[in-house]
Amino acid sequence: QTLVCVLRFGSTAPKQQAMAALRALVVGIAIAAAHCWVAGGTATKGPVTYVFGDSMSDVGNNNYFQLSLARSNYPWYGIDYPNGVATGRFTNGRTIGDYMAAKFGIPPPPPFLSLSMADDDFLAGVNFASGGAGILNETGVYFVEYFSFDEQISCFETVKRAMIAKIGKEAAEETVNAAMFQIGLGSNDYINNFLQPFMADGTTYTHDQFIRLLVATLDRQLKRLYGLGARKVAFNGLPPLGCIPSQRVKSATGECIAQVNSYAVQFNAAAKKLLDGMNAKLPGAQMALADCYSVVKELIDHPERNGFTTSDTSCCGVDTKVGGLCLPDSTPCRDRKAYVFWDAYHTSDAA
C-alpha cells in the first residue's frame, strides 16, 4: 500500500521525498525478507544467526573435506539425532548450536559448504564451524583439511557479498548488524596444540606468552568480523578442559588435571577482558563471554543433580583410543542420557 501511495501521489510531493520513501520501502522489504526467510513454507521468527567454531559446533562442513581426519559422518554419531542420521555433528544427537536455534525459534543454520550462493538458503544464517579449528591457524594442522577461524571469517565474507548482491548493501548491513554471532573456539588451541608434545607452540611459548598470542590473534579476528558488520557476539568460554576424558586418562588417579583447568580459567579471564575492551572502544559492539566453564564443571562435579550418573568417562568407552572418537567398531553405552561425555572430547546430547 505504501508503494502504491508513493507511485500514485509522487507527482504531488517533492521528487526527492518520494524517492527516499520508495528506497526506504525497498530496503525494509529486503530486511524483512532476510529476517522472515521461508524454507518449506515455514517462516523463521528468530534472529539471523551465524555460528563459528570447532567440532562442538560443526554440523557437517568437514563432511565435504575428503582428506579431513576430523569427521563424524558415520555411526555411532547421530544415533539420537532425528532419524538416527550421522550428519557430521560430533555427538550422539544435537549440538549446542542446535539447541540455541531451537530456543530462538529458528532452524539450525546449515553448514556453509552445503549451500549455493545462488539460492536464498544462506539468508537466514549459516554455520561455518569446522572440526579441528582453533583461534590459531597452526592449530589442527594434523587434521589435514578443515576451516581455521580465519578461513571461517573468509567464508562469511563470501556470504556477505552474496547478501549484498541479493538484497542490497544497506539491507545486508542492517541484517548483519542485527544478527547473532555465536563463536566457540579455543579448546583445540590447547588440546590439539599447546598440550601436544609434537606441536611447536607448547615448547616455543610459556603459558603466559601463549595466552597473549591467543588474545592478540582473537583481537584481530573479532575486529575483522566487526568490520564486516558483526555487532552482537556471544563468545563461548572454555570448559574445564582438564576434566574431559582424554585428559583424565593422563592423570595417575583418573581425576581432573588441575593445571589444564587453570589454563582454561586464565584464558577465559583474558577473553572477557578483551571483549569488554571492544565493547568500550567499538561503537555498537555488544560482545559477551558465555560462561561454559562453571556450567560444565557443575555437570562433572555433580552429575546426579542434573540427571546423569557418569561424568568421568565417555559413553563410547574410547578415552584411551587414538583419536578418542566413537568409531563404528566402538560399543556405546546403553543409557546415553546418563553420560555427560559422548566420546573422549565431546559432550553428549543430554549434556
Side-chain angles (χ1 to χ4, degrees), residues 26 154 157 186 191 195:
V26 172
S154 294
E157 281 187 296
I191 300 302
L195 295 174

Side-chain angles (χ1 to χ4, degrees), residues 6-191:
V6 170
L7 295 179
R8 179 180 292 178
F9 303 112
S11 59
T12 62
K15 184 177 180 180
Q16 289 182 338
Q17 291 180 5
M19 291 305 296
L22 179 59
R23 180 168 172 269
L25 175 65
V26 172
V27 170
I29 291 173
I31 294 172
H35 283 275
C36 297
W37 174 78
V38 177
T42 303
T44 65
K45 57 185 178 181
V48 171
T49 303
Y50 301 109
V51 181
F52 301 78
D54 51 31
S55 54
M56 288 294 291
S57 304
D58 192 347
V59 294
N61 278 311
N62 280 19
N63 294 353
Y64 295 85
F65 293 131
Q66 295 305 308
L67 300 179
S68 179
L69 299 180
R71 293 167 66 178
S72 59
N73 55 340
Y74 49 79
W76 296 98
Y77 290 95
I79 187 173
D80 296 309
Y81 194 76
N83 301 316
V85 178
T87 60
R89 289 163 169 81
F90 287 77
T91 186
N92 59 306
R94 290 173 288 181
T95 68
I96 295 173
D98 292 328
Y99 278 104
M100 290 294 289
K103 292 288 186 182
F104 288 141
I106 61 175
F112 170 76
L113 289 177
S114 72
L115 301 172
S116 167
M117 295 300 103
D119 298 329
D120 292 338
D121 294 355
F122 66 89
L123 291 176
V126 182
N127 186 311
F128 304 96
S130 177
I135 295 169
L136 304 178
N137 288 324
E138 63 263 31
T139 292
V141 290
Y142 53 82
F143 294 124
V144 187
E145 279 190 299
Y146 64 100
F147 280 143
S148 67
F149 189 24
D150 275 320
E151 289 170 329
Q152 291 178 38
I153 297 172
S154 294
C155 293
F156 174 68
E157 281 187 296
T158 298
V159 168
K160 178 81 177 289
R161 286 194 296 268
M163 288 180 69
I164 292 172
K166 277 196 175 291
I167 64 176
K169 185 174 183 179
E170 187 172 349
E173 200 65 36
E174 289 197 30
T175 298
V176 171
N177 287 169
M180 172 66 74
F181 286 73
Q182 297 176 31
I183 304 174
L185 288 155
S187 293
N188 282 322
D189 292 292
Y190 282 95
I191 300 302

